[in-house]
Amino acid sequence: MLGLVQNETMKLLRRRRFLVVVLILAILIPIFTYAQYRSVLTAQERMGTTDWRPLLTQQIVDMQNRLASSRLPDEWRDFIKVRIQQQQYYLDHDINPMAPGGPTFARGFMDQAVSMFLPMIIVVLAVDLVSAEFSEGTIKLLLTRPVRRWKVLTSKYLTLLLFTSLTVLTTLLLAYVMSGVVFGYSGWTLPILTGFEVTGGELETSGAFMIPQWQFLLLQYGLGWFVCVVVGTVTFMVSVLVRSAAAGMGIMMAALISGTILTQMASSWESSKYLFVVNLQLTDYLNGTLPPIKGMTLPFSLAVLTIWAIAALIVAYTVFIRRDVTS
């Protein structure tokens, strides 16, 4: 099995997919860093101070003003109410939720990247793990070797898990190192509040507690890794089912984009909470953000994603083992 994994690793490296992923991260993270830097400067210039308390107070006032609009949809109204309660909690307890620093940027980057950007990166890695064998004409040679088919597919899946883990780790390292040039490298021990719960559209703070930022990052990037594994597993299944990497890419991109749209519109369609694309924003549960559909919780989303991943593996193995490649 180790030899098979090594062989699949060399194949993936020869296609330079992981190099493309690293280059994408290396180009976009500095852009996001600069955007964050400009945002901070603009807020400070508008308020005329670098003190975070007036800035946070102004954010609360701005959100309260938005609530006064009669055109605001009910789901957005609930979201803003929860956000106001959370920001007020930070203010009352004298905790700066976005103290500048490389670790803080890495935390904010994962919050924004977990539901779309990172899954798309994983799709790039996984979409042609099997379908490439068809496009390159090596599928017959691969499946006629004296090795059980399930072992061949398992080696590909283990390779996917390896590079998924490397991608998440690389994201954390690049986000920290590159943003640290602008914001500094301190902040690992900054106290971060978590344990918020949203009940009936209201923020429940009785279970909130503080942990050092490095522990929060472990939780956050662990959830991000799980999301990437699930998306990678579904993409892996698609790679088995279709013989074109372009078709597989189109299917997964459509799924991820539709998932982003659904999270904005799904409050009136309760059954959509069972779709894996609606459950990708796992880090929101750590922050106490209102879920897309009332009643969704972290255990629920983890369970839904796990079921989707298991089902995808069952389909992938069943099709791959029974596939006829003689024609």
Side-chain angles (χ1 to χ4, degrees):
M1 181 63 72
L2 180 60
L4 290 173
V5 172
Q6 290 176 338
N7 183 51
E8 293 300 328
T9 300
M10 293 304 299
K11 285 183 182 179
L12 197 149
L13 291 175
R14 280 200 300 271
R15 294 186 192 116
R16 299 184 179 179
R17 292 301 178 96
F18 186 65
L19 177 60
V20 170
V21 166
V22 174
L23 287 176
I24 291 173
L25 291 171
I27 292 172
L28 293 184
I29 287 178
I31 295 175
F32 297 149
T33 300
Y34 180 74
Q36 180 67 28
Y37 175 69
R38 293 300 307 174
S39 177
V40 171
L41 285 183
T42 300
Q44 290 176 352
E45 290 173 359
R46 187 178 63 178
M47 296 298 298
T49 179
T50 58
D51 188 356
W52 63 271
R53 294 170 189 83
L55 297 175
L56 192 59
T57 301
Q58 185 59 47
Q59 289 180 15
I60 295 173
V61 171
D62 291 341
M63 288 187 287
Q64 289 173 336
N65 291 335
R66 290 185 64 188
L67 284 178
S69 173
S70 58
R71 299 180 180 179
L72 193 67
D74 290 340
E75 56 270 22
W76 279 102
R77 191 177 300 277
D78 291 339
F79 173 82
I80 293 174
K81 285 180 179 178
V82 169
R83 189 63 176 166
I84 289 174
Q85 293 178 63
Q86 189 178 45
Q87 298 293 65
Q88 189 63 52
Y89 189 88
Y90 280 115
L91 192 62
D92 293 343
H93 290 76
D94 198 34
I95 297 173
N96 183 0
M98 291 302 292
T104 302
F105 176 86
R107 172 164 58 91
F109 183 77
M110 176 54 78
D111 280 336
Q112 300 300 319
V114 68
S115 63
M116 176 63 79
F117 179 68
L118 277 181
M120 282 187 170
I121 292 292
I122 299 303
V123 168
V124 172
L125 283 176
V127 72
D128 66 346
L129 276 176
V130 179
S131 59
E133 305 291 351
F134 287 96
S135 60
E136 295 173 2
T138 58
I139 187 65
K140 290 185 179 181
L141 178 62
L142 178 69
L143 297 185
T144 54
R145 294 173 61 186
V147 179
R148 302 292 293 272
R149 287 192 178 191
W150 70 266
K151 288 187 176 182
V152 173
L153 194 61
T154 300
S155 67
K156 289 180 175 292
Y157 187 64
L158 291 177
T159 302
L160 172 61
L161 293 181
L162 171 62
F163 279 91
T164 297
S165 302
L166 287 175
T167 298
V168 175
L169 180 60
T170 301
T171 300
L172 173 59
L173 291 176
L174 289 179
Y176 171 66
V177 171
M178 291 183 172
S179 66
V181 175
V182 177
F183 299 113
Y185 295 101
S186 61
W188 289 104
T189 59
L190 179 75
I192 302 298
L193 279 169
T194 189
F196 295 106
E197 294 183 6
V198 180
T199 305
E202 295 293 328
L203 188 69
E204 178 60 51
T205 60
S206 60
F209 58 94
M210 287 190 298
I211 59 175
Q213 183 155 240
W214 67 267
Q215 290 185 11
F216 189 92
L217 283 170
L218 286 179
L219 291 172
Q220 187 188 47
Y221 275 76
L223 291 176
W225 174 84
F226 182 74
V227 167
C228 290
V229 167
V230 173
V231 172
T233 302
V234 175
T235 308
F236 186 69
M237 176 194 69
V238 172
S239 182
V240 172
L241 295 178
V242 301
R243 301 191 176 194
S244 167
M249 181 75 74
I251 291 170
M252 289 307 301
M253 290 301 178
L256 293 175
I257 293 172
S258 64
T260 301
I261 297 173
L262 278 174
T263 55
Q264 307 295 327
M265 305 171 59
S267 59
S268 59
W269 181 24
E270 189 171 345
S271 298
S272 65
K273 66 184 180 181
Y274 298 107
L275 300 174
F276 83 93
V277 290
V278 179
N279 290 272
L280 298 182
Q281 197 74 34
L282 292 183
T283 60
D284 279 356
Y285 294 110
L286 296 179
N287 301 320
T289 303
L290 192 71
I293 301 175
K294 290 182 179 180
M296 290 178 62
T297 62
L298 179 58
F300 174 84
S301 292
L302 289 173
V304 169
L305 292 176
T306 300
I307 291 171
W308 272 88
I310 292 174
L313 285 176
I314 291 173
V315 171
Y317 274 85
T318 300
V319 172
F320 190 79
I321 290 173
R322 296 181 178 180
R323 171 164 284 168
D324 181 10
V325 296
T326 57
S327 56

